[in-house]
Amino acid sequence: MATQRDYHTVKAIFTRFHALEPEPKGELHHTNAFTLLVAVALSAQATDVGVNKATKRLFEIADTPEKMLALGEEALVEHIRTIGLYRNKAKNVMRLSRILVDDYGGEVPSSRAALQSLPGVGRKTANVVLNMWWRVPAQAVDTHIFRVGNRTGICPGRDVDAVERAIEDNIPAEFQQHAHHWLILHGRYICVARKPKCGICPIEDLCPYEDKTL
């Protein structure tokens, strides 16, 4: 785990990320807050590409909790069968849809506590929805962010909670809204796990990682 970088270095890193991609976007397809919530919940232990493929037709016919309940669990299973843990995820989607209809008037709540009270929705999923839909600068730490944060010293921590706090504490406020997207995309396409692509990395000269693959 690299030592936390100083403020000026972190600011320089995110200035470069911003210059390359001023408005980074999440890669899960969605049309509203509900489809975003479902897509993120389905993406646990699955790829965004796989989730997008499975939900393309699903979201055309069930883009609200009411329509999801009308679809039914078995029909939902058929749509998401290619996604890992699909049966358990289907149960959770149906349960959260029922709660949204009964307790929230069919709307997705905008508080972390309310989101995390829904079946199958943990802190990471809640933070993604808060960030992408409600524009709250919440930080959803996944394996990519955990790796990049520790490898580069941008936001080091021994667990995801520590990395989340490090992002909030150490990354300048002007970059907070998009911080987790920049870090995810950097980890997904450049700072990959086994053989990072240091030769094309835009922050290579600012990174202390010792095993660079130049």
Side-chain angles (χ1 to χ4, degrees):
M1 183 169 68
T3 302
Q4 170 65 50
R5 312 309 304 282
D6 64 88
Y7 171 83
H8 296 291
T9 300
V10 173
K11 184 173 182 178
I13 288 170
F14 281 89
T15 298
R16 292 187 191 180
F17 285 156
H18 178 270
L20 290 169
E21 184 61 70
E23 291 285 332
K25 304 294 184 183
E27 297 183 324
L28 285 171
H29 297 167
H30 61 281
T31 58
N32 55 28
F34 176 70
T35 54
L36 174 61
L37 175 63
V38 172
V40 179
L42 294 176
S43 71
Q45 299 181 37
T47 66
D48 288 0
V49 172
V51 172
N52 289 339
K53 184 176 180 180
T55 58
K56 185 178 187 299
R57 174 61 179 152
L58 172 66
F59 290 161
E60 291 175 357
I61 60 177
D63 61 352
T64 69
E66 293 87 353
K67 291 178 182 177
M68 191 66 75
L69 291 172
L71 179 66
E73 185 175 326
E74 286 308 310
L76 172 57
V77 164
E78 292 306 309
H79 282 279
I80 66 171
R81 187 177 291 277
T82 56
I83 299 175
L85 306 176
Y86 64 91
R87 285 207 171 273
N88 189 54
K89 290 177 179 178
K91 291 182 184 300
N92 284 335
V93 168
M94 300 308 293
R95 290 167 60 205
L96 71 82
S97 295
R98 172 53 62 192
I99 292 171
L100 291 178
V101 170
D102 291 349
D103 297 347
Y104 297 97
E107 300 294 325
V108 174
S110 58
S111 85
R112 182 183 286 116
L115 286 166
Q116 285 190 246
S117 72
L118 299 172
V121 178
R123 186 178 181 89
K124 185 177 79 171
T125 296
N127 281 351
V128 172
V129 175
L130 289 172
N131 183 287
M132 291 180 62
W133 192 259
W134 299 111
R135 305 294 291 178
V136 174
Q139 309 302 332
V141 178
D142 68 354
T143 55
H144 296 300
I145 293 181
F146 186 81
R147 178 178 65 256
V148 172
N150 282 292
R151 185 180 277 172
T152 64
I154 293 172
C155 44
R158 296 193 179 280
D159 54 42
V160 294
D161 291 336
V163 171
E164 182 181 334
R165 289 194 299 272
I167 294 174
E168 295 173 346
D169 290 345
N170 302 314
I171 294 174
E174 65 199 274
F175 301 120
Q176 285 283 327
Q177 181 63 51
H178 295 309
H180 93 274
H181 277 135
W182 281 315
L183 292 170
I184 286 173
L185 295 173
H186 188 64
R188 184 173 289 168
Y189 297 111
I190 295 178
C191 196
V192 295
R194 295 191 178 183
K195 192 176 181 181
K197 302 173 184 178
C198 302
I200 62 170
C201 177
I203 62 167
E204 183 275 328
D205 60 313
L206 300 174
C207 176
Y209 184 55
E210 295 181 356
D211 300 323
K212 289 181 180 176
T213 57
L214 298 178

